[in-house]
Amino acid sequence: MPYSSEREQAVREFVKRLTGCQARLYAYIVTLVLDHHQAEDILQQTNLVIWEKLDEYLNCGDFDAMVRKVAYYQVLAYRRDALRRRERLLFDDQLLERIAVATQTATSGVGADYLAALRECMAKLSEMQRDLLQQRYGPDGSVEAIAASTGRPANNISAALYRIRKNLLACIREELAKHADR
Amino acid sequence: MSEELQLNEYEQLLAAALDDRLTEEEQQRLAQMLTENPDALNLYVEQLTLHAMLYWEHKPPLGAEKPLSGSKVPVSSAPEYDLPYEKPRSKVLIETSPPTPIPWYSVNSPIGLPLISYSLGAIITLIAIGIGAVVQITHSYEIAGKAATSVEDSGSSGGGLAGALATAEKAKPKKEEAPVVGHISGMVGCRWADPAFKPLAPRIRQGTKFAFESGLMEITYTTGAKVILQGPCTYEVESPSGGYLALGKLTAKVVSGQQPAAKNQKSEIINHKSHSPLATSHSPLFTVRTPTALITDLGTEFGVEVFDTGESHAHVFQGEVEVRLVADKISSAVGKGTDGGRRLVVLGTNQSAVVKEGRIQTIDEANAVAGKDHRVADAAGAFVRQMPRWTPIKVFNTGIGLKEGDPDPHWQLVARSDEPSFQACPAVVTVSHIYWMPNNPQQSQWISIGGDLPEVPDGVTFTFRTTFQLEGLVPGSAVLQGRFLVDNQVTAIRLNGESLPVPQHPYESFRRFVDFRITRGFKEGTNTLEIDVFNGRETVQAGELTNMGLCVELQGRALLAGNSSTSQQNKVKPTPVKNF
C-alpha cells in the first residue's frame, strides 16, 4: 500500500529524519536535565508534540533546530513542573541556556558515526571495564548498586567509571577524526 | 590490578554528577565552575553526551528480558536426563542498534502511524487470503462429504467470513481426541527408534505407540497399574488397562486394589474366547497382548518378553497371570495338533511360560524340549522391576558456607608450576576483586592461595583439586556439570588424571561463568577433579604480580548401583501350573 501523494511522501521523509535524530535529541536533553529517566520522558513528549503539529513542522527549513527548540521548551516545561513540586534544579535558567548553546554544537555530531565510534571504542575496553559499564548503564544500574554488590566504596567505583568514560571520549575523538580524514 | 583513582576536583564533581551523587554544595560548586570556565562547560557537555549515548547503547531492546547483572541465575539442564539442574547465567546482551524511545507501534510514535497503516493493509490482505483459503477448504470438505450447502451459498447468504468459517467448521469432520489413559512416570536413557520422536507431554492417550532402541520408560496407567518398558521395545497403549507389546520386554505391576473387579472377573476372563483390546468394552483386568499371546493379570507382578519371531515369554514374580493363545494362533495350533488343544495356562508365583509355534509351554516343558541352554531358561531374568533412581553426587562448590580467609576443606591447592617442591595445602577463600563476581557464601566463593586477594607472579599455573565419592553408584552413569569463574584462565581440567576438554573462554572470565560438563572418566570410590589455573594474559610480563583466583560450582548425579532387578530378588516357592 504505497504512499502516492506528495504530502505522504513528505511525511515519510519527515518520519525518517525524526527517527534518525532520536539519539542526538536524547543526548541533547540529557545534557540539560542529567536524569536519564526524565530525559526519556521529555524525548517522548517532544516526539508527541512534533507529531501533533506535523503540518506546522513538515516543511520547516532547519529540521535539527526545530526539534531542538521543541525539546528545549519541553525541558523548560519539565523544570516548571519540578519547581512546582519543590524539587531542586541542577542549574539556573541562565546556565541552562549556556549549556543548551554549547550542547547544540557538541551534539550536532552525534549520529551514526558517533555511535559506531562508541561501539568501536567499547570493543577495545577490557571485559571487566565493559562489565562495569554494563552494570552502571544497564537497567536499574547505579554506582550504589555496584558498590553494594562488590563491597567497594562508591567513590572508587565512580572514579573508575569516570576514567573509563574519559578513555572512551579520547578514543571516540580519534575514531571520528580518522573517519573525517577518509 | 591496582588503579590510580585520584581525580582532580572538577573531575570528581563531574563524576559525581554523572553518577547522581552530587550533594547540594557540590552542585553549587559545579555550577560555578561551569559558569566561569568555558573549557569546563565544554568538557561537561562532551561527558554528558557520552553518558547519554552509553544509556542509549545499553538500553534493552523492546520486549527483551531484563538482564540480570551481578545475580546468580540458574543454569541449563542436561537435556537427556531432565534433571532440575540450574540454568546457565543469562548473558547480558548489548543491543547494537539504538532502540526507539517511543514504541514503534504506538499511535504517538512518528513511525507508528505509517507502520500501522501498512500493518492494517497487510492484515486486510491476509484476511482476504484467509477467506479465500477457508472457502477453498470448505469446498474441499463439501466435495468429500457431499455436503448440501454450496460454497456459493455460503458466500452469497450474507455470512461473509463468519459464514464461511461456520460452514467450514460444520463440514469439517469431527476428530475426537483419544482418552488419556496414563502418563510417563519415568524415563532413563531412552533412545527412540525415530530420532525425531520426543514425547511432548507426559500424558498418554489411548493408541499412543512407543518405539525405542534402548533405555527404560515407566508408564503409570490411570488405574494405578505400572509398566516398565525395556528397550529395544515397541509398545502400544491400546486401552486403559493394557497394551500391545510387539517387541521387547516389559514388567507390569498391578497392586492389590487397583483392579477391584479382578477376582470377580477371573472366571469370565478365563472363559472368554478372545481379547480385543481396541474394543469399546475392555476387560477391567490388566492385559498385555503380544503377537502370539494374551497375558492377563490376576493381581500380580509379571514380566513379558517378545522376540522378533513373535515368540512370547511370560514370567510371574508374584501372584497369578493367565496366558492365553491369541485366536488365530489357536486355530493354527489346533490345526497342527501339536498341543492337544491347550489354549491357556494360569501361572503362579515364580513360574514362566513360553508361547511359540501355536502352543503354550511352561518353562520346564520348554527346557525339556530344548535343553537347559534354551533362552527360556532366562525368561525370568533381566526384567527390570524397578526404575533406577538418580542420586546426587556429593560435590562442593568452592568456598561454600565459609568466610573470607577460611581454608576450604573441600578444595586444595596441590601444585604451582614455579615451585616443583610445592606442598599441597587447602585453598583459601579470598576476598573478591572489584572486577570479579562478588562472593556468595551461600553458593560459591573465590578461592586462591591466600585470603586477602593475594598477588602472584604472572605466567604461573596453579592446580586446584577436589575429590568426591561414587560409592554405591554406577560410575558409567555419572554426570558432573560445572561452571567456573577464573582469573586468568583455566588451562586444564582432569578427572582421575584424564584430561578433559576445556571450554573456550577469555582471559577475564571474572563475572561470567563458563560451563563445563563431564560424562566420562568416573570410577568407583574416590574420584579426583583437578583444575589448572594460569595466571596472566597471553603476553606475560616477567616479574609482574597480579591477582589469581578460581570459583567453581558443581552438580552431579549417577544411578544407584544394583537396580536391575530379576526374579532372584523374589525367590518364592513355585506353585503348580493350572492347565485349562
Side-chain angles (χ1 to χ4, degrees), chain B residues 416-486:
Chain B
R416 54 184 288 175
S417 60
D418 60 342
E419 285 183 28
S421 58
F422 180 77
Q423 293 293 307
C425 59
V428 181
V429 179
T430 181
V431 295
S432 64
H433 191 275
I434 181 174
Y435 292 132
W436 291 358
M437 175 77 77
N439 279 332
N440 180 353
Q442 279 76 48
Q443 186 158 336
S444 61
Q445 302 192 82
W446 288 85
I447 54 172
S448 188
I449 197 162
D452 194 21
L453 206 58
E455 291 185 328
V456 295
D458 273 3
V460 176
T461 297
F462 297 82
T463 302
F464 292 88
R465 176 187 291 172
T466 188
T467 56
F468 54 92
Q469 294 293 323
L470 284 186
E471 213 65 63
L473 304 175
V474 180
S477 68
V479 179
L480 196 63
Q481 189 158 313
R483 56 184 197 168
F484 61 77
L485 299 166
V486 64

Side-chain angles (χ1 to χ4, degrees), chain B residues 355-372:
Chain B
V355 183
K356 63 170 187 172
E357 295 166 1
R359 72 169 76 174
I360 303 173
Q361 291 176 301
T362 63
I363 193 163
D364 293 336
E365 293 164 347
N367 282 338
V369 173
K372 286 287 178 189

Side-chain angles (χ1 to χ4, degrees), chain B residues 254-567:
Chain B
V254 187
V255 296
S256 177
Q258 286 170 353
Q259 292 185 155
K263 292 292 172 192
N264 298 334
Q265 295 287 334
K266 186 172 171 179
S267 57
E268 182 194 321
I269 291 298
I270 287 170
N271 292 329
H272 73 192
K273 298 286 181 203
S274 65
H275 175 75
S276 176
L278 292 176
T280 48
S281 120
H282 296 292
S283 158
L285 301 181
F286 192 87
T287 303
V288 175
R289 190 167 68 96
T290 75
T292 52
L294 294 174
I295 298 101
T296 303
D297 173 78
L298 304 176
T300 187
E301 183 186 4
F302 64 96
V304 180
E305 181 170 14
V306 177
F307 296 88
D308 49 8
T309 56
E311 181 179 327
S312 305
H313 295 177
H315 177 81
V316 179
F317 296 105
Q318 203 162 26
E320 284 185 341
V321 298
E322 175 206 275
V323 181
R324 178 188 289 268
L325 285 173
V326 293
D328 58 329
K329 303 294 175 187
I330 293 170
S331 55
S332 158
V334 170
K336 285 179 185 170
T338 54
D339 186 55
R342 188 167 72 175
R343 296 174 180 181
L344 68 87
V345 296
V346 173
L347 299 176
T349 298
N350 220 20
Q351 290 181 334
S352 305
V354 179
V355 183
K356 63 170 187 172
E357 295 166 1
R359 72 169 76 174
I360 303 173
Q361 291 176 301
T362 63
I363 193 163
D364 293 336
E365 293 164 347
N367 282 338
V369 173
K372 286 287 178 189
D373 59 343
H374 192 272
R375 62 186 173 185
V376 294
D378 297 325
F383 283 108
V384 173
R385 295 171 60 193
Q386 190 185 353
M387 288 294 278
R389 301 288 168 215
W390 290 102
T391 302
I393 301 171
K394 198 170 183 183
V395 283
F396 293 91
N397 297 345
T398 53
I400 189 161
L402 301 171
K403 293 197 297 287
E404 289 173 350
D406 282 353
D408 190 328
H410 306 293
W411 284 83
Q412 284 186 303
L413 194 54
V414 295
R416 54 184 288 175
S417 60
D418 60 342
E419 285 183 28
S421 58
F422 180 77
Q423 293 293 307
C425 59
V428 181
V429 179
T430 181
V431 295
S432 64
H433 191 275
I434 181 174
Y435 292 132
W436 291 358
M437 175 77 77
N439 279 332
N440 180 353
Q442 279 76 48
Q443 186 158 336
S444 61
Q445 302 192 82
W446 288 85
I447 54 172
S448 188
I449 197 162
D452 194 21
L453 206 58
E455 291 185 328
V456 295
D458 273 3
V460 176
T461 297
F462 297 82
T463 302
F464 292 88
R465 176 187 291 172
T466 188
T467 56
F468 54 92
Q469 294 293 323
L470 284 186
E471 213 65 63
L473 304 175
V474 180
S477 68
V479 179
L480 196 63
Q481 189 158 313
R483 56 184 197 168
F484 61 77
L485 299 166
V486 64
D487 185 345
N488 283 97
Q489 197 160 54
V490 167
T491 51
I493 299 176
R494 288 181 298 276
L495 179 63
N496 299 320
E498 185 188 349
S499 287
L500 301 164
V502 178
Q504 278 198 335
H505 58 285
Y507 277 85
E508 291 174 343
S509 297
F510 303 158
R511 301 188 73 90
R512 287 186 188 142
F513 275 102
V514 180
D515 294 320
F516 66 97
R517 181 180 164 87
I518 303 173
T519 54
R520 62 181 167 87
F522 295 94
K523 64 177 189 182
E524 282 185 46
T526 304
N527 287 253
T528 303
L529 176 69
E530 288 180 340
I531 298 178
D532 286 352
V533 174
F534 175 79
N535 189 45
R537 297 179 62 89
E538 302 98 313
T539 317
V540 173
Q541 301 211 350
E544 192 168 333
L545 296 173
T546 54
N547 306 122
M548 180 277 298
L550 175 70
C551 177
V552 182
E553 293 181 4
L554 294 171
Q555 281 186 316
R557 62 175 182 166
L559 291 174
L560 270 173
N563 260 323
S564 183
S565 309
T566 68
S567 63

Side-chain angles (χ1 to χ4, degrees), chain A residues 15 40 43-44 47 88-89 98 119 127 134 136-137 140 144 149 152 155 158 163 166 173, chain B residues 4 11 18-19 21 24 27 35 46 51 55 57 59 66 92 96 101-102 111 432 438 508:
Chain A
V15 166
E40 281 177 17
L43 177 64
Q44 292 223 20
N47 284 324
R88 183 168 57 124
L89 291 177
R98 290 189 63 183
R119 285 168 201 153
E127 191 172 334
Q134 171 62 42
R136 170 65 184 87
Y137 289 99
D140 302 329
E144 280 69 27
S149 69
R152 305 284 154 184
N155 280 345
S158 190
R163 291 208 162 269
K166 198 173 172 181
R173 280 191 212 112
Chain B
E4 177 54 60
E11 286 178 322
L18 291 166
D19 294 324
R21 306 184 67 247
E24 196 167 348
Q27 187 181 322
T35 309
E46 220 179 356
H51 178 68
Y55 271 121
E57 278 295 287
K59 264 193 200 175
K66 192 171 162 186
V92 176
T96 49
I102 296 180
I111 58 169
S432 64
E508 291 174 343

